[in-house]
Amino acid sequence: MRKQIVAGNWKMNNDLPETQLLIDALKAKKQTSTAEVMVAPTFTNLYQVFEAFKTYAVEVIAQNMHFAENGAYTGEISAKMLKSIGIETVILGHSERRAYFNETDELLAKKVDAALANDMRIIFCFGEELADRKSNNHEAVVESQIKKALFHLDAAAFKNIVLAYEPVWAIGTGETASPEQAQDMHAFIRKTLANQYGDDVANSVSILYGGSVKPNNAKEIFSKPDVDGGLIGGAALNADDFFDIVNAF
Ligand code: 13P
């Protein structure tokens, strides 16, 4: 059975005191589902949140990393640095990184290699823009994003990869892909994986949906057979909403 995962991407939100408030609110919540729960704070608060959840079933993960081990890359953070504070999982390829920080498929392939070389787990994000969907090009775009960043890997690497389909037009917009649109795309992604690596790999990789997942739509989206969880933005900043989504499984 595939892992069910609900991950909160806090993006560039919450300073140190605000982060402490969110930690306290999250600690007061009760999980009734068996989904793996993760939160991704900003770099400055990673260690604080990691320490806070050490004895909780909440994994603290990073939003990004650089591909180099160390060196003259002002402002960047390496896998080794993340690992040294206990972080084992990193989000790569988020559409905001692609759009605002010019992260290309080629760069992402290097980051993927660096994370795997450091025994890290990856939540690899991709997704089409509205124009791609309107021109019925969404599957081709997603297929290309996955192939360029991941298909140089061997099958064994997929033990450490979680995929996150996040249609750009649904992120932070309040507009969600319908459960059917999410299911269709997730099935397509799984077929793409199966064609390259076989059914065993394809059926073992968790595929998360992200884009305006809220307490009122999570259950229906998560009920789809190829949707193995969610990557949550805005709603992850509120402990009640986040745990309603975690418990939607
Ligand atoms: P929203 O849930 O705010 O749409 O953000 C989704 C997302 O980008 C998670 O990485």
Side-chain angles (χ1 to χ4, degrees), residues 7 9 11 91 94-96 125 166 170-175 210-214 231-236:
N9 177 8
K11 308 191 179 184
I91 298 171
H94 194 282
S95 66
E96 289 148 16
C125 306
E166 297 204 307
I171 295 177
T173 59
E175 186 159 346
S212 298
V213 178
K214 307 286 178 203
L231 186 53
I232 320 300

Side-chain angles (χ1 to χ4, degrees), residues 154-213:
D154 59 23
F158 282 81
K159 281 203 288 289
N160 288 318
I161 292 177
V162 171
L163 300 180
Y165 168 57
E166 297 204 307
V168 177
W169 48 271
I171 295 177
T173 59
E175 186 159 346
T176 325
S178 69
E180 291 71 32
Q181 284 174 321
Q183 168 56 30
D184 287 351
M185 182 57 94
H186 284 217
F188 171 76
I189 294 161
R190 216 175 287 290
K191 191 177 80 188
T192 304
L193 278 181
N195 289 342
Q196 180 78 5
Y197 294 103
D199 286 339
D200 285 354
V201 170
N203 290 328
S204 68
V205 173
S206 297
I207 308 176
L208 316 184
Y209 168 80
S212 298
V213 178

Side-chain angles (χ1 to χ4, degrees), residues 57-223:
V58 173
E59 184 183 349
V60 181
I61 70 174
Q63 296 179 14
N64 180 34
M65 56 167 247
H66 194 267
F67 60 79
E69 199 78 342
N70 57 266
Y73 297 99
T74 301
E76 293 291 329
I77 306 279
S78 71
K80 187 164 169 277
M81 292 168 182
L82 295 173
K83 292 276 291 193
S84 74
I85 63 162
I87 305 299
E88 302 281 350
T89 301
V90 62
I91 298 171
L92 293 177
H94 194 282
S95 66
E96 289 148 16
R97 300 291 322 167
R98 293 176 189 259
Y100 308 141
F101 304 97
N102 303 318
E103 295 203 357
T104 61
D105 296 318
E106 293 68 31
L107 174 80
L108 290 169
K110 287 164 87 169
K111 291 191 176 199
V112 163
D113 290 344
L116 293 174
N118 283 278
D119 291 322
M120 292 190 76
R121 179 157 68 150
I122 298 164
I123 298 184
F124 186 76
C125 306
F126 50 85
E128 84 282 1
E129 302 199 18
L130 187 57
D132 304 320
R133 185 158 279 268
K134 283 193 167 152
S135 59
N136 206 27
N137 221 16
H138 45 293
E139 289 187 347
V141 167
V142 162
E143 182 174 8
S144 161
Q145 288 172 324
I146 295 174
K147 282 189 169 167
K148 286 182 175 157
L150 300 178
F151 275 16
H152 62 287
L153 300 171
D154 59 23
F158 282 81
K159 281 203 288 289
N160 288 318
I161 292 177
V162 171
L163 300 180
Y165 168 57
E166 297 204 307
V168 177
W169 48 271
I171 295 177
T173 59
E175 186 159 346
T176 325
S178 69
E180 291 71 32
Q181 284 174 321
Q183 168 56 30
D184 287 351
M185 182 57 94
H186 284 217
F188 171 76
I189 294 161
R190 216 175 287 290
K191 191 177 80 188
T192 304
L193 278 181
N195 289 342
Q196 180 78 5
Y197 294 103
D199 286 339
D200 285 354
V201 170
N203 290 328
S204 68
V205 173
S206 297
I207 308 176
L208 316 184
Y209 168 80
S212 298
V213 178
K214 307 286 178 203
N216 64 7
N217 59 24
K219 213 178 190 73
E220 212 186 335
I221 295 171
F222 294 169
S223 71

